[in-house]
Structures are given as structure tokens and as C-alpha cells.
């Protein structure tokens, strides 16, 4: 068992929003948070516009792959953040659930994905401040 918080990001295809959120959290929090992402109906690959948008800010998501949402992933997470997947996420007592209202980047070019990427970063920064603030020096 670990004492660090764990976060699960969930969207329908696990190809855009949840992948960007997981990449931001990993990048910004480092090893202070355990990060997972999944989708209720995963796509075959991560959205190339999301990969490019994240590459523009120095984060490489090219090796990421969409994963199916499992009950075990939810059970193993302290915080479950949904992004437009409706009721597909199982609910367990004692877990914290957040729903982030974000535009779906599916089928959009990198220009349309950039503001979504930036909003996700802002939300992730707030999440980190809440669940895993940096240790004071």
C-alpha cells in the first residue's frame, strides 16, 4: 500500500481529455500522485491532435494507449474524475468523484485542442494543490 493519493481520469474514448489530464498530472506532480486513465468505450489509439498539443508544451504522450474502464481501477483510486462519460463510472462509497465539464477534442484539429489542453492544466494544478501540495522547503 502507498500513502500517496491516486487519481483516475475517465472519459468515453480515453483518447483525448483523460489522456491529457493524466499526462499533466504525471508531469506536474511527479511521483507524489499515482495516475490512471481509462475510458468507458476506449478508442483504438490516442487522438493525434491531443498528442501534438501536449508535445507543444514539452509532454510526450506518443506511447499512451486507451484503456478500458474497470471496477478495479475505480476501486484502487482515491479520486475519480469523469469528463463526459455520464453514468459509466461505477460508484464506490468513500471515493471522491469530480466531473470536469470539458469540450470533447475528438475529430478536432490541434488549434481546437489547445484551449482544452490549457483548461485541463488549470484544473490539474488545482487538483494537485488540493490532494498533493508540494512539500515546503
Amino acid at each position: 500500500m502507498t500513502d500517496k493519493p491516486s487519481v483516475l481520469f475517465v472519459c468515453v474514448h480515453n483518447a483525448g481529455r483523460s489522456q491529457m489530464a493524466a499526462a499533466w498530472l504525471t508531469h506536474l506532480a511527479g511521483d507524489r500522485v499515482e495516475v490512471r486513465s481509462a475510458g468507458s468505450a476506449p478508442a483504438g489509439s490516442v487522438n493525434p491532435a491531443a498528442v501534438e498539443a501536449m508535445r507543444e508544451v514539452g509532454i510526450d504522450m506518443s506511447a499512451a494507449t486507451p484503456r478500458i474502464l474497470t471496477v478495479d481501477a475505480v476501486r484502487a483510486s482515491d479520486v475519480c474524475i469523469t469528463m463526459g462519460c455520464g453514468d459509466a463510472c461505477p460508484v464506490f462509497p468513500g471515493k471522491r468523484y469530480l466531473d470536469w465539464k470539458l469540450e470533447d477534442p475528438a475529430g478536432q484539429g490541434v488549434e481546437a485542442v489547445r484551449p482544452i489542453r490549457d483548461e485541463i492544466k488549470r484544473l490539474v494544478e488545482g487538483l494537485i494543490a488540493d490532494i498533493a501540495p508540494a512539500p515546503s522547503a
Side-chain angles (χ1 to χ4, degrees):
M1 266 328 231
T2 177
D3 60 352
K4 65 182 172 181
S6 59
V7 176
L8 171 64
F9 294 103
V10 182
C11 66
V12 175
H13 300 298
N14 189 223
R17 295 166 290 187
S18 57
Q19 291 284 355
M20 287 190 289
W24 272 124
L25 184 54
T26 300
H27 179 76
L28 296 170
D31 63 0
R32 296 194 324 263
V33 179
E34 186 177 338
V35 182
R36 298 178 182 86
S37 72
S40 53
S45 62
V46 174
N47 180 336
V51 172
E52 178 58 29
M54 294 301 283
R55 182 178 292 123
E56 290 176 354
V57 294
I59 299 173
D60 182 8
M61 287 192 345
S62 61
T65 56
R67 301 190 191 294
I68 185 74
L69 175 64
T70 65
V71 169
D72 288 341
V74 177
R75 188 177 287 126
S77 301
D78 299 310
V79 181
C80 181
I81 299 174
T82 56
M83 304 170 180
C85 66
D87 296 332
C89 191
V91 175
F92 291 98
K95 303 292 179 191
R96 181 174 172 196
Y97 293 88
L98 301 171
D99 185 44
W100 289 355
K101 306 287 187 209
L102 296 161
E103 187 176 344
D104 188 349
Q108 300 193 55
V110 71
E111 300 79 20
V113 174
R114 285 182 190 120
I116 302 167
R117 171 201 67 200
D118 296 344
E119 176 65 7
I120 291 170
K121 180 184 182 194
R122 186 187 68 72
L123 290 165
V124 166
E125 288 171 337
L127 178 69
I128 292 168
D130 185 37
I131 67 167
S136 44

